[in-house]
């Protein structure tokens, strides 16, 4: 059976060059970088080299990079660490309704301990209105947190403009750039970002490693206390091999950014066009202007069918896609991102995300285009909603009719 992997926003394969540079750190170079003897010295240099590579990718100083365990940790650290460090200054956070749960649930937890959070809404395309952000600022606002790009729709947010607003009001600015890094140019200076999160497994490095950029001079309470690793900013013995792998993945991302993005964009556009040409009654979830979305991401609702059923049927052809974050949580609730975009509930349930990688081939896309229309039609033929559509008598069908 073919194996076509179109779920790169969930995770990416470790790149061969990344794995090659990691292996020695599991075998001969096994030392603890905090040790003063030869075994420790052997690996501490490798960590600093990796730090330089990560810093180069986002245009900051190596000393501003802290190695962490994953993107979720970075978001928690940035938000909770700011709230603790600046609690005397204010208790108000501004974020958006479409953030990853690593941000949203962190904010919700902080609300329980007395912080106030404004969740800025998005429009039906998932776009933000910058005036809403500026209007939400009060003299108690200590943090603005907006993702660089959305994991479900691929929508790219105007981070540099939001950074300018944060700078104007002297408010700290955090951006979850987990989906943007490696797919878009990310420059923390140009964007005026103070805190930024990278996750290794989204960019060809292994799971269990990431990086948090902390602008020099930014007071941030650590999340993990204990050892004095990372200059006291993140306790815990370093994941040396993972960090070395992250450094290599960042080096490769910097070297091939444009060419990889162009390749993914061409194939994503081919997929999008092919699906819209072949299948009626579908809805694009995300910005209609493809350039306002990540070059690898396409999210579509196929009316009358469940996204989960479509995924299982595609899986039988060896095609891996995703139906948004709902399936990963095992929840029957449609995704909060679809909800925030006012996508009608049954269409939200049918939303399907295809996220390409730089290793995706044209023949992979053509195979999806070959099997998808019949698969959708087969599922529609079995769907009670589709049956109901023929009678033209339910609210869902009226919504779908307007597509
Ligand atoms: C936008 C975004 N932020 C944060 C995360 C969490 O990253 P991690 O899986 O490394 O904890 C993800 C993972 O899907 C993501 O897409």
């Amino acid at each position: 059976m073919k194996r076509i992997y179109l779920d790169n926003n969930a995770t990416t394969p470790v790149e061969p060059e990344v794995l090659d540079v990691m292996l020695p750190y599991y075998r001969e170079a096994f030392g603890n970088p905090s040790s003063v003897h030869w075994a420790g010295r052997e690996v501490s240099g490798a960590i600093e080299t990796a730090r330089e590579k990560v810093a180069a990718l986002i245009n900051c100083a190596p000393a501003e990079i802290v190695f962490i365990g994953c993107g979720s940790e970075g978001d928690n650290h940035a938000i909770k660490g700011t709230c603790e460090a600046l609690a005397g200054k204010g208790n108000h956070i501004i974020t958006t309704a479409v953030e990853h749960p690593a941000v949203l649930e962190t904010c919700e937890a902080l609300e329980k301990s007395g912080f106030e959070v404004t969740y800025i809404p998005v429009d039906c395309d998932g776009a933000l209105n910058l005036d809403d952000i500026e209007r939400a600022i009060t003299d108690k606002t200590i943090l603005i947190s907006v993702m660089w790009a959305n994991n479900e729709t691929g929508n790219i947010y105007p981070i540099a403009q939001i950074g300018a607003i944060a700078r104007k009001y002297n408010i700290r600015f955090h951006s979850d750039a987990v989906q943007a890094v490696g797919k878009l140019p990310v420059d923390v200076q140009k964007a005026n970002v103070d805190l930024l999160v990278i996750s290794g497994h989204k960019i060809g490095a292994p799971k269990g490693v990431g990086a948090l950029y902390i602008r020099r001079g930014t007071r941030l309470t650590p999340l993990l206390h204990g050892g004095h690793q990372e200059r006291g900013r993140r306790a815990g013995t370093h994941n040396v091999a993972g960090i070395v792998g992250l450094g290599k993945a960042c080096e490769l991302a910097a070297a091939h950014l444009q060419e990889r993005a162009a390749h993914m964009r061409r194939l994503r556009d081919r997929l999008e066009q092919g699906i819209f040409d072949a299948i009626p009654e579908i809805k694009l979830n995300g910005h209609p202007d493809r350039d306002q979305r990540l070059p690898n991401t396409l999210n579509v609702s196929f009316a009358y069918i469940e996204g989960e059923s479509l995924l299982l049927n595609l899986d039988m052809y060896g095609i891996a896609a995703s139906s948004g974050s709902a399936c990963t949580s095992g929840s029957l609730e449609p995704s909060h991102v679809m909800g925030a975009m006012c996508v009608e509930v049954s269409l939200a349930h049918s939303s399907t995300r295809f996220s390409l990688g730089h290793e995706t081939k044209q023949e992979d896309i053509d195979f999806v285009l070959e099997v998808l229309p019949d698969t959708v039609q087969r599922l529609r033929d079995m769907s009670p909603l589709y049956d109901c559509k023929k009678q033209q008598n339910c609210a869902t069908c009226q919504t779908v009719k307007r597509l």
Side-chain angles (χ1 to χ4, degrees):
M1 189 175 69
K2 284 182 192 290
R3 279 161 63 96
I4 296 177
Y5 186 70
L6 299 180
D7 201 11
N8 286 273
N9 287 9
T11 199
T12 58
V14 174
E15 297 198 42
E17 295 100 312
V18 169
L19 184 62
D20 287 348
V21 297
M22 290 174 63
L23 288 177
Y25 295 92
Y26 287 119
R27 293 185 182 131
E28 54 273 23
F30 59 84
N32 184 329
S34 304
S35 305
V36 292
H37 49 63
W38 58 267
R41 283 197 307 277
E42 204 168 68
V43 294
S44 55
I47 290 183
E48 295 321 310
T49 305
R51 205 184 300 281
E52 284 165 18
K53 292 178 179 174
V54 178
L57 181 63
I58 60 168
N59 190 24
C60 69
E64 294 173 308
I65 293 294
V66 171
F67 288 114
I68 55 177
C70 60
S72 303
E73 179 188 327
D75 288 331
N76 272 263
H77 189 168
I79 299 169
K80 290 182 187 161
T82 296
C83 288
E84 210 165 309
L86 302 186
K89 208 171 157 222
N91 69 341
H92 180 228
I93 303 167
I94 297 172
T95 188
T96 80
V98 292
E99 298 298 310
H100 188 272
V103 168
L104 286 181
E105 294 189 20
T106 302
C107 288
E108 283 159 22
L110 286 162
E111 280 183 280
K112 293 195 182 106
S113 49
F115 284 87
E116 283 173 18
V117 183
T118 303
Y119 299 92
I120 305 291
V122 293
D123 68 15
C124 299
D125 296 330
L128 285 169
N129 176 352
L130 294 186
D131 292 341
D132 288 344
I133 296 183
E134 197 156 359
R135 267 197 298 270
I137 294 172
T138 72
D139 55 357
K140 295 275 180 244
T141 309
I142 51 172
L143 179 68
I144 298 176
S145 174
V146 180
M147 66 196 334
W148 203 296
N150 186 272
N151 44 306
E152 291 187 37
T153 59
N155 276 9
I156 301 167
Y157 290 106
I159 295 302
Q161 285 157 273
I162 301 168
I165 296 173
R167 187 57 59 92
K168 179 168 148 196
Y169 291 91
N170 195 22
I171 297 167
R172 189 175 292 181
F173 182 32
H174 159 241
S175 184
D176 171 341
V178 164
Q179 293 294 345
V181 166
K183 298 171 193 148
L184 301 174
V186 169
D187 182 323
V188 291
Q189 311 308 337
K190 281 194 189 143
N192 273 325
V193 173
D194 301 307
L195 298 159
L196 180 130
V197 176
I198 300 175
S199 173
H201 73 103
K202 309 287 187 182
I203 60 165
K207 294 157 190 68
V209 67
L212 173 62
Y213 157 74
I214 307 176
R215 184 180 288 280
R216 184 176 293 121
T218 303
R219 275 199 298 133
L220 197 69
T221 306
L223 198 61
L224 299 184
H225 300 268
H228 296 280
Q229 291 89 353
E230 296 295 285
R231 297 203 278 153
R233 293 178 296 184
R234 200 267 188 183
T237 300
H238 290 94
N239 169 3
V240 181
I243 289 170
V244 169
L246 178 62
K248 185 67 184 176
C250 288
E251 181 185 290
L252 292 170
H256 302 292
L257 192 67
Q258 302 301 341
E259 119 212 4
R260 287 177 175 183
H263 171 77
M264 293 189 291
R265 181 173 291 112
R266 188 179 70 76
L267 294 185
R268 188 275 312 266
D269 292 356
R270 185 181 180 91
L271 179 65
E272 187 166 330
Q273 198 59 50
I275 290 177
F276 275 80
D277 286 348
I279 307 177
E281 297 182 286
I282 61 178
K283 178 187 181 303
L284 175 78
N285 298 312
H287 206 289
D289 176 354
R290 291 175 186 159
D291 290 339
Q292 303 285 324
R293 280 184 274 136
L294 290 172
N296 76 322
T297 307
L298 171 63
N299 189 316
V300 184
S301 286
F302 299 88
Y304 314 114
I305 62 179
E306 282 288 329
E308 295 286 298
S309 323
L310 182 57
L311 288 191
L312 293 174
N313 278 265
L314 290 178
D315 188 30
M316 289 194 272
Y317 290 106
I319 299 167
S322 156
S323 67
S325 38
C327 59
T328 51
S329 65
S331 151
L332 290 176
E333 288 295 310
S335 117
H336 68 282
V337 176
M338 296 300 127
M341 291 165 61
C342 295
V343 177
E344 190 274 329
V345 176
S346 72
L347 286 175
H349 275 297
S350 74
S351 102
T352 306
R353 179 185 71 187
F354 301 93
S355 50
L356 287 62
H358 61 84
E359 288 153 346
T360 305
K361 298 186 192 68
Q362 183 165 316
E363 65 203 57
D364 299 340
I365 298 304
D366 290 347
F367 183 66
V368 174
L369 290 173
E370 195 184 311
V371 302
L372 186 63
D374 286 350
T375 307
V376 168
Q377 192 53 50
R378 205 172 55 246
L379 290 170
R380 282 180 173 170
D381 288 341
M382 293 188 295
S383 159
L385 279 176
Y386 196 56
D387 215 35
C388 164
K389 175 216 168 188
K390 291 180 199 146
Q391 299 160 33
Q392 303 287 312
N393 63 355
C394 87
T396 301
C397 302
Q398 297 310 317
T399 309
V400 170
K401 253 174 43 185
R402 289 198 297 273
L403 286 180

